[in-house]
């Protein structure tokens, strides 16, 4: 199992540019989560998909952020336009939701720097 | 009040000692509780979970849950330098739209000294 795959690993961009982060969840998992991690705020849930449908996007900070999950094996998180305060590590995680208790498996993360 | 609170540390313990990490949560509807370990520059990895009051042991790790006090802890016996990391407490509740939502604390940094 390749685990949760995120790309790119690092992204440096200029303020105002569009940034797209990508995620491939573990095959068979039906829940996908996008988190942002900073020193000050820790891990914050941005958006959550269940069976490719967005269930909770209350953590998306502004309209500049959008996320899609067109199929069970791919999701994107887009920031347009990007700002320096968006600099953080963005994690994608997936899980199986059903009977029982399941933790999340995290991808390696994308370290975003907006200058 | 934060939903999940942890002391940021650092918590320093000598090699071979017991490390005790604590976490409190505010949502009484929380159903399952998780401990993740995160090395610097890496992603969080699941160590163990607990959902019933009492203790749960897995190797050198013991998770303890007290729902009445809304308190979760993680004990690491025979601490090793390789245990030096940030430990994240997470609580879960089911969502009406399906699935579980994990809310994380900001983590406790553990340093195991030689």
């Amino acid at each position: 199992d390749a685990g949760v795959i995120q790309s790119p690993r690092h992204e440096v961009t200029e303020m105002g540019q569009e940034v797209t982060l990508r995620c491939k969840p573990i095959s068979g998992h039906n829940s996908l989560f996008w988190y942002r991690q900073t020193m000050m705020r820790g891990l914050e849930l941005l958006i959550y998909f269940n069976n490719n449908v967005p269930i909770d996007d209350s953590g998306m900070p502004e309209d500049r952020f959008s996320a899609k999950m067109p199929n069970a094996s791919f999701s994107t998180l887009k920031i347009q336009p990007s700002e320096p305060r968006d600099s953080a590590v963005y994690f994608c995680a997936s899980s199986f939701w059903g009977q029982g208790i399941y933790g999340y498996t995290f991808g390696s993360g994308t370290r975003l720097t907006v200058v | 009040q934060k939903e999940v609170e942890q002391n940021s540390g650092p918590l320093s313990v000598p090699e071979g000692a017991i490390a005790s990490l604590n976490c409190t949560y505010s949502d009484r509807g929380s159903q399952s509780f998780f401990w993740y370990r995160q090395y610097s520059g890496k992603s969080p990895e699941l160590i163990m979970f607990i959902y019933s009051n009492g203790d749960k042991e897995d190797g050198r790790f013991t998770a303890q849950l007290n729902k009445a006090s809304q308190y979760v802890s993680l004990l690491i016996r025979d601490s090793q330098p390789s245990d030096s990391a940030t430990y994240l407490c997470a609580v879960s509740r089911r969502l009406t739209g399906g699935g579980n939502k994990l809310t994380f604390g900001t983590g406790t940094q553990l340093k195991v000294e030689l």
Side-chain angles (χ1 to χ4, degrees), chain B residues 25-41:
Chain B
Y25 61 95
S26 60
D27 184 358
R28 287 195 173 272
S30 300
Q31 295 156 316
S32 305
F33 307 85
F34 300 78
W35 283 100
Y36 281 77
R37 177 176 62 199
Q38 186 175 24
Y39 292 111
S40 181

Side-chain angles (χ1 to χ4, degrees), chain A residues 23-86:
Chain A
C23 176
K24 176 179 170 56
I26 290 174
S27 178
H29 281 187
N30 55 8
S31 298
L32 183 139
F33 310 83
W34 283 100
Y35 280 86
R36 177 172 67 178
Q37 187 174 40
T38 60
M39 289 292 292
M40 292 298 296
R41 301 172 69 93
L43 271 169
E44 301 174 279
L45 178 64
L46 299 177
I47 188 169
Y48 156 56
F49 293 87
N50 192 44
N51 291 321
N52 311 338
V53 176
I55 301 298
D56 182 357
D57 65 354
S58 59
M60 298 286 263
E62 300 171 35
D63 291 344
R64 298 184 296 106
F65 286 70
S66 62
K68 294 182 179 180
M69 191 164 187
N71 57 62
S73 60
F74 184 66
S75 177
T76 60
L77 177 68
K78 185 177 294 186
I79 308 172
Q80 166 64 18
S82 58
E83 297 182 2
R85 59 194 170 118
D86 301 330

Side-chain angles (χ1 to χ4, degrees), chain A residues 5-30:
Chain A
I5 299 173
Q6 290 187 247
S7 64
R9 290 294 306 274
H10 302 275
E11 177 80 33
V12 180
T13 191
E14 290 184 348
M15 182 174 62
Q17 295 297 307
E18 177 181 294
V19 176
T20 299
L21 311 181
R22 297 173 176 81
C23 176
K24 176 179 170 56
I26 290 174
S27 178
H29 281 187
N30 55 8

Side-chain angles (χ1 to χ4, degrees), chain A residues 91-108:
Chain A
F91 287 106
C92 174
S94 71
S95 178
F96 177 77
W97 179 67
Q99 294 299 319
I101 298 171
Y102 304 90
Y104 297 3
T105 301
F106 283 82
S108 299

